[in-house]
Amino acid sequence: MTAVQGTTVDIPTGDGTADAYLAHPADGTPRPGVLLYQDAYGLRPHLRAMADRLTGAGYTVLVPNVFYRKGRAPVVDLPEFIDPSADPTIWQRLSPLLRTLTPERTARDADAYLGWLADSPLVADGPVALTGYCMGARLALRTAATHPGRVAAAAGFHGGRLATDDPDSPHLGAGHITAELYFGHADRDASLPEEQMRRLEDALTAAGVRHTCEVYPDAPHGYTQADTNAYQREGDERHWAALLDLLKRTF
């Protein structure tokens, strides 16, 4: 297991400065880059621990605070264990932040994140991989479509609203994707009903995108997030196996 060093970095963007967590091998050896997109709860200790685990497997991992326009992380103060059913105000505070992430801003931010990784001496030359959780799966899908030359693989877990009826739905960018994709859907997820699962699968297949879409049984939306009431150990362990397998095939 690779020894891990973690630090906070600042990334200049078209709209300001995004703070981010960087996990990298302690010996400074360049490793393949992974851009980890957060869920709606934001950059916090659990996501830093996820980045550290990926780095221990041999990668340099960047976790940007995608809500940086509203402040440095934590943008919203949350308890150590997040349970929206115990505090309904959590989503009242988070919803305005989600609305700041338009497709245009997502693409512009991805330029900055991927450019920073390309310039870092801690990242090996070549394209990078993405992994995203909840809304982060949506960001990963959009980034794979807008930056095909920079993204070799992308994974999304318990993603929501991936294939809606909206004219700017993420799945509509499938024709631009050159990366291999993996999605681990939650089967108890109101934000991604079966209709959207089929629409995503059909779009990726029609575009000739290398992909795997799997539905995790009895898994709730958020099953990988151990600091929330949605956590499911079985789904989380399956997610780690699938993600590390994808990265191993890619690099």
Side-chain angles (χ1 to χ4, degrees):
M1 183 67 71
T2 302
V4 176
Q5 182 174 336
T7 187
T8 298
V9 298
D10 286 343
I11 301 174
T13 76
D15 294 330
T17 300
D19 54 306
Y21 178 71
L22 179 71
H24 63 89
D27 64 5
T29 304
R31 299 295 177 90
V34 178
L35 175 59
L36 191 159
Y37 278 124
Q38 64 175 65
D39 62 355
Y41 295 136
L43 179 53
R44 60 194 192 281
H46 174 63
L47 291 187
R48 294 184 181 94
M50 293 181 76
D52 289 351
R53 181 169 175 175
L54 274 177
T55 294
Y59 304 96
T60 293
V61 185
L62 182 70
V63 192
N65 165 27
V66 301
F67 298 144
Y68 70 87
R69 292 175 180 83
K70 297 296 184 180
R72 298 180 71 85
V75 179
V76 173
D77 288 324
L78 297 172
E80 289 185 14
F81 183 78
I82 303 168
D83 181 0
S85 66
D87 182 2
T89 70
I90 288 176
W91 277 104
Q92 294 174 15
R93 287 177 281 154
L94 291 174
S95 292
L97 300 179
L98 272 63
R99 290 194 289 270
T100 67
L101 298 176
T102 64
E104 294 76 19
R105 284 178 171 177
T106 298
R108 200 157 60 238
D109 288 348
D111 280 339
Y113 306 149
L114 295 174
W116 192 93
L117 286 168
D119 291 341
S120 173
L122 297 170
V123 179
D125 292 340
V128 304
L130 317 173
T131 185
Y133 302 87
C134 300
M135 71 163 202
R138 192 160 62 249
L139 300 180
L141 181 55
R142 289 197 188 281
T143 299
T146 56
H147 297 77
R150 289 287 301 129
V151 178
F157 299 93
H158 45 80
R161 298 185 58 78
L162 299 177
T164 69
D165 292 324
D166 296 339
D168 59 358
S169 175
H171 79 288
L172 297 176
H176 301 288
I177 294 173
T178 58
E180 179 179 355
L181 304 187
Y182 176 90
F183 289 97
H185 303 316
D187 74 345
R188 293 193 285 117
D189 192 346
S191 69
L192 195 74
E194 280 192 38
E195 177 186 1
Q196 286 195 42
M197 292 183 192
R198 289 194 300 270
R199 188 179 293 143
L200 175 63
E201 177 81 36
D202 290 347
L204 296 176
T205 299
V209 177
R210 292 168 298 152
H211 70 281
T212 302
C213 295
E214 298 182 319
V215 180
Y216 288 22
D218 300 320
H221 181 77
Y223 60 78
T224 64
Q225 303 301 297
D227 61 347
T228 77
N229 65 331
Y231 181 67
Q232 186 209 50
R233 182 178 299 277
E234 295 83 359
D236 186 32
E237 291 176 353
R238 182 174 174 180
H239 133 262
W240 278 110
L243 176 58
L244 292 173
D245 186 57
L246 175 66
L247 296 178
K248 185 176 180 180
R249 290 198 305 275
T250 300
F251 299 115

